[in-house]
Amino acid sequence: GITAFHHLQADAATKSIPVIAVTASATKQEREEILAAGFDGLEVKPIKLNEFLKKVREVLNGRTTASDKSREA
């Protein structure tokens, strides 16, 4: 997850692609690490489809903010 994300960020061809982390990890520390890595969003499994699609739309529209990210943690 985070390693793959860093590879995407290091490549000019993929750096601008928004990435939402999807994880089964539910601990606060793990979620904080994911968000600190720079992901554009975070969804915890099991995914609720409507909420996930809303998050994708927000990220693609550039509406995800730092406060949104901290609320997810």
Side-chain angles (χ1 to χ4, degrees):
I2 291 176
T3 301
F5 176 72
H6 286 154
H7 286 289
L8 291 170
Q9 293 296 297
D11 187 332
T14 55
K15 184 175 182 153
S16 64
I17 298 172
V19 180
I20 298 172
V22 177
T23 182
S25 301
T27 70
K28 184 177 179 180
Q29 179 181 352
E30 289 169 319
R31 287 186 262 175
E32 288 174 354
E33 286 176 18
I34 290 167
L35 294 174
F39 283 87
D40 296 287
L42 170 65
E43 289 293 317
V44 178
K45 296 176 188 176
I47 295 173
K48 295 177 183 161
L49 184 58
N50 289 336
E51 291 179 23
F52 179 69
L53 294 175
K54 179 182 175 187
K55 176 62 72 181
V56 169
R57 282 190 295 274
E58 289 173 353
V59 167
L60 291 176
N61 289 326
R63 292 188 355 221
T64 299
T65 65
S67 64
D68 291 336
K69 291 180 179 182
S70 67
R71 211 173 327 152
E72 295 168 346

